Amino acid sequence: MAKDWWLYHGTGEGAVRRARLEAGSPPPWRDFTGTPDPVYAPPGCTGPAWERTRRRGEGYVPDGPEKDVVNTALHLRRPLLITGKPGVGKSTLAYSIASDLGLGPVLHWPITSRTVLRDGLYLYDAIGRLQEAGLEQLRTPGAVAAVPPAGAGPAGAAEPAEPTGPASGPSIARYLRLGPLGTALLPQDRPRVLLVDEIDKSDIDLPGDLLTVFEDGGFDIPELARLAKEDPTVAIGTDDDPDAAVQITQGRVQCRYFPIVVLTSNGERDFPPAFLRRCVRLHLEPPRLDKLARIVQQRLKVDIEGSEEYQELVQSFLERAEDGDLATDQLLNAIQLRLAGAWSDADDRERFLGTVMQHLTGPSA
């Protein structure tokens, strides 16, 4: 049964609840002051990107305790840190939130061991800009191309400082683009959903680097800040659309409504207490029989209770999961194959299970 304070239900048709989300008062310490660009319109609930989000999100089946934690994060406007074994639906929950509340396509930031903070905030093709400045010098004999000295970006990566003056080359706007985190932090009256996938695979410094951004709800782009006197407002692209041309003033991106940030972790590392304190945490356990039946019904429109064959497949899945981790989509794959008439010979049962339900961890993985 839905609770009155819930904004996220996981059932779709969330226009009224989205209106409550937008109109809700944030905690005083999470109230931000960014001014939206009146010309910029973020992606809505149309188009291929939205369809991908909607299809993936509608297949998620949340439990009551999960809804409690998700709605806690929504009301507090804090990042949601989801832990659990691979395949339990951590990433899919982000799509479910976006789909349920009609918040547009999910912004996806996959994390690797080489990922740094600036990768999520913005991308700057300094080399491309210098190359084009060199071509301009060749096309205009006598022009003096400015070679910028080395500077430092917000994550410590060496970057050229911006040249100024008439011979400084092409506009910087063509070589700047907001990353998924930077796009999510654009000032808007409706939050975007940002999925920061597998943050436990990151460099040890990334969680700490994210703290300031999560607390301030914004960040500076030094390449634009250095040019603020000559060009205080610059239009650059977003992660959704390189041609979006959203206005950035004084090199500062400051959110108005803190985005719905979903961070996933497979538990491969621990996080510092300062980072955990700023997150609302949710641990997802592997689904049991009743939830698996609801997932199969939701995804494949198959009533497990009405078919002995599919009940046996679910039971085999649960038994094999005791010897090593399995992902829910492996069960869905098995049922989908049986729906298509594949592997129907009784003599193939064990080979069939071994093919579609291979362990992700354990001695037989």
Side-chain angles (χ1 to χ4, degrees):
M1 181 178 296
K3 301 178 182 178
D4 292 340
W5 67 279
W6 281 357
L7 299 168
Y8 165 72
H9 287 187
T11 56
E13 302 297 327
V16 174
R17 289 178 279 113
R18 183 179 64 245
R20 287 173 51 205
L21 175 72
E22 296 167 2
S25 298
W29 53 90
R30 305 297 292 163
D31 191 8
F32 301 105
T33 59
T35 302
D37 177 357
V39 178
Y40 172 66
C45 298
T46 58
W50 167 249
E51 285 302 311
R52 289 192 295 271
T53 291
R54 183 188 62 78
R55 285 197 302 269
R56 185 169 179 182
E58 286 181 350
Y60 190 80
V61 180
D63 291 333
E66 294 173 26
K67 296 177 186 178
D68 281 336
V69 179
V70 170
N71 282 287
T72 296
L74 293 180
H75 280 284
L76 294 179
R77 302 193 182 183
R78 286 289 188 184
L80 177 65
L81 175 61
I82 308 177
T83 57
K85 295 179 178 180
V88 296
K90 300 185 297 296
S91 300
T92 307
L93 179 51
Y95 291 86
S96 177
I97 296 170
S99 174
D100 181 64
L101 292 169
L103 298 175
V106 169
L107 293 159
H108 184 208
W109 184 19
I111 303 299
T112 70
S113 59
R114 298 179 299 276
T115 301
V116 295
L117 176 62
R118 207 194 70 171
D119 297 331
L121 296 178
Y122 69 98
L123 306 174
Y124 175 42
D125 185 7
I127 294 176
R129 188 173 185 227
L130 289 174
Q131 288 174 339
E132 186 158 338
L135 292 174
E136 286 290 334
Q137 181 186 13
L138 293 176
R139 288 193 291 262
T140 310
V144 179
V147 180
E159 288 293 343
E162 288 307 315
T164 59
S168 60
S171 169
I172 190 175
R174 295 169 55 185
Y175 304 95
L176 274 170
R177 178 181 176 183
L178 292 173
L181 175 55
T183 301
L185 289 168
L186 285 172
Q188 299 166 62
D189 294 319
R190 177 181 300 175
R192 294 291 302 273
V193 177
L194 169 67
L195 171 61
V196 184
D197 217 1
E198 298 190 331
I199 191 171
D200 52 326
K201 288 182 168 55
S202 73
D203 177 88
I204 193 171
D205 294 326
L206 181 60
D209 292 339
L210 283 168
L211 292 181
T212 300
V213 177
F214 285 168
E215 285 301 292
D216 293 348
F219 64 97
D220 293 314
I221 302 177
E223 291 82 358
L224 295 182
R226 285 193 287 266
L227 298 176
K229 290 184 178 179
E230 293 78 19
D231 200 355
T233 301
V234 177
I236 65 176
T238 67
D239 186 67
D240 297 297
D241 183 1
D243 301 319
V246 62
Q247 300 286 336
I248 306 298
T249 302
Q250 301 293 323
R252 176 74 180 174
V253 176
Q254 177 63 61
C255 76
R256 180 178 181 86
Y257 198 119
F258 191 77
I260 298 171
V261 180
V262 177
L263 308 108
T264 70
S265 168
N266 293 327
E268 295 183 5
R269 59 172 288 190
D270 295 326
F271 298 105
F275 177 79
L276 295 175
R277 182 173 65 84
R278 289 164 172 83
C279 298
V280 176
R281 286 178 275 175
L282 170 64
H283 183 74
L284 295 183
E285 294 288 350
R288 304 309 300 169
L289 178 59
D290 59 337
K291 186 170 184 178
L292 285 173
R294 287 186 286 133
I295 292 172
V296 172
Q297 175 66 39
Q298 182 84 353
R299 290 288 187 93
L300 300 177
K301 310 304 179 187
V302 172
D303 183 7
I304 296 295
E305 295 182 358
S307 170
E308 183 177 345
E309 178 185 13
Y310 297 137
Q311 288 179 19
E312 291 178 355
L313 277 178
V314 173
Q315 190 60 41
S316 296
F317 175 84
L318 292 172
E319 290 173 357
R320 293 175 71 87
E322 294 177 358
D323 299 324
D325 292 337
L326 294 175
T328 305
D329 62 353
Q330 292 173 290
L331 173 62
L332 297 175
N333 290 337
I335 294 177
Q336 180 63 41
L337 283 168
R338 284 296 174 84
L339 287 172
W343 293 91
S344 56
D345 192 329
D347 294 336
D348 291 337
R349 175 179 171 77
E350 289 307 314
R351 286 200 303 123
F352 167 60
L353 295 177
T355 300
V356 297
M357 297 185 186
Q358 295 185 26
H359 290 115
L360 305 177
T361 61
S364 63

